[in-house]
Amino acid sequence: MRRVSWFNLTSLTFGFAFLYLPMVVLVVYSFNSNKLVTVWAGFSTKWYGELFRNEAFLDAAWVTLRVALLSSTMATVLGTMAAYVLVRGGKFFGRTLFSGTLYAPLVMPDVILGLSLLLLFISIGLDRGMVTIVLAHTTFAMSYVAVVVSSRLVSFDRALEEAALDLGCTPLDAFRSVTLPIIAPAVISGWLLGFTLSLDDLVIASFTSGPSSTTLPIKIFSAVRLGVSPEINALSSILIGIVTVGVLTFSISSKRAIMKRMREENRAET
Amino acid sequence: MADKPRKLPQEVFAPWEDPEAKPLIQFRNVTKRFGEFTAIDDLTLDIYEREFFALLGPSGCGKTTMMRMLAGFEAPTEGQILLDGQNIAPVPPNLRPVNMMFQSYALFPHLSIWDNIAFGLKRDKLPKDKIAARVEEMLRLTRLEKFARRKPHQISGGQRQRVALARSLAKAPKLLLLDEPLGALDRKLREDTQFELMDIQEKTGTTFVIVTHDQEEAMTVASRIAVMNHGKIVQVDTPARIYEAPANAYVADFIGDVNLIEGTATRTGEDRCSVRFAEAADPITAECTADLSDGIAVTYAIRPEKILVTADRPADRANALEGQIIDIGYLGNISTYHVELPGGQMIKAAMTNSTRLDRRDFTWDDRVWLSWRETAGVVLTE
Ligand SMILES: Nc1ncnc2c1ncn2[C@@H]1O[C@H](COP(=O)(O)OP(=O)(O)O)[C@@H](O)[C@H]1O
Ligand SMILES: [Mg+2]
């Protein structure tokens, strides 16, 4: 193995420190028994206990989770359909306009998106609540899904669909039994992307949420404005934990799949 | 066509000679345009049941487009395609009794070999045991039993090609379309597979239409060959007649090696004429059709292997010309002599190397006689 030079080691350390030091500090202080966040007074898990007795936080967490699940699922369905039409639909009237508008939410500032959605909901008389957050999140997550899925569809061999038609599939059948299984990784990535975007969105959610439905980011943000509390630290640590476990499982399982495939290919050659 | 069709004995398969026979596929004045570009140009063609029909032509001449129209992925801009006498234009690809083996194989990467072959059968809602039996049969036919559980990326190119064939055969289609099926294979495997294809075709009785740009492949497998150029069919005929009696210089040049000699024809007998191609050389005596007018510009086509190279003038040959060897190409089994005739015309003559290389009779710059029979070459007016 090559030795790691001093320069590389230093940049690695600084890079990681820059990325993770804030989080480490946050996690460490979540176990602080002192009510004053920045003064260490010994190890304790009591804030985690407090957190699970805090109805407001639990409600917000539950809302956030439902919003993320619903909006990412809807966005995945709509975004995949949009991507399919854009890549496969051939020429149709307004195609360029359509693809332009589909990608607009990607570059539009969140504030503007949130504001315009707010105006829309008010003008059609839709009461703000969980429904409006779900709709708003679906709108912008759909664009991300469409981008991810259409980039996969561009490299998808059209002949596979034709072969399915040739063997007796209706177009819908062909999509279900051939196209979808093959582009599934991209669709799942799109779903995950939509899910995480919805989880950590603060700006759009604060425009479109009502008094009855507060999401976790809004809750945390408003709580922090009154002062950082150890409870928030505990909550954030749990979120970090969930994300870490999620990312690790995802990358380990996909690495396993690649290894398995490579082994199979090697065996096929010999 | 250069001469009249001969009556063939009954057992020979030649439905195209039978005016009673009903074609399986009829192209009727089919034109296909992509925007301004005409890919298929007013094409009329009949293909009969149980035929092994080859479409042959240079890249871009419209072969794949014809296949895609038969499979249902493209619709003719003008004209009609009939299958069993029915216009197939309104029938979508999934309802046509036609299966296609794609140029790229198009195997489903997420399914095993077994499931790839079963794919079409499952769409037909056949009972499970029927499907299993049919898949096993196809695996046996294409000698893939051992690979049934593998995925397409775990087998070799030749095996993939056989999977594609098995998959398209599984539904026992009336018509099987093969688009350059052997393009990716090396020579040895290619030849084996050609015979395998012919064997399968004989066993199953399916009508095959095969696209190829390899003329040897077309000659080997086909009952008839259509030579195409720029979206038109130049000649449709049996391999032997395409080779021996090409309709024009394009076909003659496309299939195999040929000498094309340009000259003017003069009638000398009822079905004889002489072709003069140079002041300094004797004219060539040849067979020609009755409607040939005197003084017309013609191309005389003769295959290199029909020409005999000798040191002395042979007595019994209608055509004998003296020339000088300019170049010799040694190909192992044969040698090609490039001989310059008086007046500068170059002629290629191929001779079998029956003796060893070091015992060869002729060498560079030798003066030799080239000779051939009256019937060896053809006079082409196009
Ligand atoms: N979908 C299409 N759009 C435009 N041009 C096409 C299309 N498909 C084929 N062509 C053109 O038609 C001609 C014939 O193509 P093809 O049938 O694929 O030829 P080949 O004989 O090599 O199979 C080519 O010049 C090709 O560029
Ligand atoms: Mg082609």
Side-chain angles (χ1 to χ4, degrees), chain B residues 2 11 27 39 52 93 105 128 141 152 154 175 182 184 190 198 226 247 273 282 286 292 336 349 358 375:
Chain B
E11 62 273 21
F27 281 80
F52 203 132
Y105 306 154
K128 276 223 166 60
L141 189 68
Q154 296 163 334
L175 173 63
L182 315 181
R190 210 181 158 98
M198 287 167 22
C273 59
D282 286 342
L292 195 85
T336 322
D358 50 355
T375 52

Side-chain angles (χ1 to χ4, degrees), chain B residues 34 37 39 58-65 74:
Chain B
F34 295 106
F37 179 79
S59 186
C61 70
K63 306 179 298 289
T64 298
T65 305
E74 307 281 0

Side-chain angles (χ1 to χ4, degrees), chain B residues 63-64 103 179-180 211:
Chain B
K63 306 179 298 289
T64 298
Q103 201 165 353
D179 193 353
E180 303 205 17
V211 162

